[in-house]
Amino acid sequence: MKNIKSNPAHEYEVLFPLVNLLLFDSSDSLDFESNYEKLSDNFIEAINTTNPTEIEDNFFTKRVYFYLKELSPKGREHLFNVIFNNDIFISTLTIGNLLENGLLPDEKNTLSIQNKILIDLLNYREEAKFSRSLVMYFILQFEFIFYYEFSDSKIISKIEYNNIIDRLGSFKEPTFK
């Protein structure tokens, strides 16, 4: 599971429609003619909930499932590669599963959990089957959007949008504004 980043913006391009779906209720690209766009009412409401990315039937998970369902086989392949090559995510999810299931972090348990994660990813790539591992990727990847400090609570500037896009694939602290 090697982390290869030749062109980060292009590598995560498969995630742009989900960013747009979350922020604007549409997966279409934006032109930012006025350098600002209105955030969707649904996103603004989700920001004000206690845990917008909790694994339950909510704004975030509905958007994630819609996005995953609509991805083409080529898009699923691209997404598989993005997730599979993210060592930090695979390690984080592995440790989380070990702790959640009360397992010792030995080689046998670690390999078992990593194999399950790989099977989940392959099942999505090949058959579009959803899994907890897949949803957890999106929670870890997109949670920061709900805590982003927009300059205005109802609009997003082109610069803020580009900061969010630049943050994709990174699990480090984002640079706000």
Side-chain angles (χ1 to χ4, degrees), residues 54-73:
E54 191 172 356
I55 298 182
E56 61 180 41
D57 190 24
N58 63 19
F59 167 80
F60 180 74
T61 54
K62 285 178 185 176
R63 296 300 188 279
V64 169
Y65 285 127
F66 178 80
Y67 164 78
L68 292 172
K69 185 179 75 164
E70 297 298 314
L71 267 183
S72 68

Side-chain angles (χ1 to χ4, degrees), residues 2-7 11-12 85-86:
K2 196 165 201 144
N3 196 352
I4 302 168
K5 289 188 178 182
S6 55
N7 184 349
E11 180 182 0
Y12 293 96
N85 289 318
N86 191 317

Side-chain angles (χ1 to χ4, degrees), residues 17-164:
L18 180 57
V19 171
N20 294 338
L21 192 59
L22 289 171
L23 296 174
F24 311 112
D25 280 341
S26 171
S27 57
D28 298 335
S29 296
L30 300 168
D31 55 16
F32 280 95
E33 286 181 22
S34 68
N35 287 324
Y36 293 93
E37 290 289 335
K38 183 183 180 310
L39 294 166
S40 78
D41 291 337
N42 289 320
F43 178 75
I44 293 167
E45 183 180 324
I47 289 174
N48 296 319
T49 63
T50 38
N51 191 354
T53 56
E54 191 172 356
I55 298 182
E56 61 180 41
D57 190 24
N58 63 19
F59 167 80
F60 180 74
T61 54
K62 285 178 185 176
R63 296 300 188 279
V64 169
Y65 285 127
F66 178 80
Y67 164 78
L68 292 172
K69 185 179 75 164
E70 297 298 314
L71 267 183
S72 68
K74 185 177 180 179
R76 291 195 315 262
E77 176 75 26
H78 190 166
L79 181 61
F80 170 85
N81 290 328
V82 164
I83 297 172
F84 181 76
N85 289 318
N86 191 317
D87 290 337
I88 294 172
F89 168 72
I90 299 296
S91 297
T92 301
L93 192 56
T94 300
I95 292 167
N97 272 288
L98 289 168
L99 292 172
E100 185 176 12
N101 293 304
L103 300 173
L104 293 174
D106 60 21
E107 186 176 356
K108 178 184 171 197
N109 290 334
T110 300
L111 287 174
S112 175
I113 295 291
Q114 287 177 339
N115 285 337
K116 180 180 180 336
I117 294 167
L118 178 59
I119 289 168
D120 286 347
L121 294 175
L122 287 168
N123 282 335
Y124 176 70
R125 183 185 76 183
E126 302 301 321
E127 302 173 28
K129 289 184 179 177
F130 302 141
S131 67
R132 186 175 188 278
S133 298
L134 198 57
V135 174
M136 285 303 297
Y137 171 78
F138 288 101
I139 288 172
L140 292 172
Q141 177 65 49
F142 286 92
E143 181 179 40
F144 80 96
I145 290 176
F146 293 95
Y147 301 101
Y148 191 92
E149 295 178 23
F150 296 99
S151 57
D152 184 298
S153 64
K154 295 184 188 229
I155 60 173
I156 182 173
S157 72
K158 186 174 185 176
I159 293 169
E160 291 168 333
Y161 180 80
N162 288 336
N163 285 341
I164 289 171

